Amino acid sequence: MAEDDKHLIREFISTNMQGVPVDDDEDLFASGYVNSLFAVQLVMWIERTFDLQLVGKDLDFANFSTIDAIAAFVDGKRTLAGGGAWTSN
């Protein structure tokens, strides 16, 4: 996982958690800041940002519980899809 990708994930989560700092291994669901709307927004953002299509089996809480877990999940989906690192235009 490129550090740039992890930075994007961290920035999105921090912005949507009203700027509250979040450690990469902190459980987002236990923090009390994550609700179902945020979870849906996060999934949609991941699909758009990293050009991935998430299906039912991907929507496991474990894949989205921490920044580290999200980064590993995105990296794994890319590997399965044979994609490279995401770059902005």
Side-chain angles (χ1 to χ4, degrees), residues 20-80:
V20 173
V22 178
D23 293 328
D24 289 355
D25 61 350
E26 184 177 343
D27 187 330
L28 298 171
F29 300 107
S31 71
Y33 287 98
V34 174
N35 59 34
S36 58
L37 177 59
F38 174 76
V40 169
Q41 290 171 326
L42 177 61
V43 168
M44 291 173 58
W45 178 82
I46 288 170
E47 287 182 319
R48 283 190 317 267
T49 302
F50 299 104
D51 194 27
L52 298 172
Q53 182 177 9
L54 306 186
V55 295
K57 64 182 177 161
D58 296 328
L59 302 177
D60 184 327
F61 281 117
N63 293 332
F64 305 97
S65 61
T66 66
I67 292 171
D68 287 336
I70 297 166
F73 171 72
V74 167
D75 192 43
K77 286 290 285 186
R78 268 200 199 125
T79 300
L80 287 174

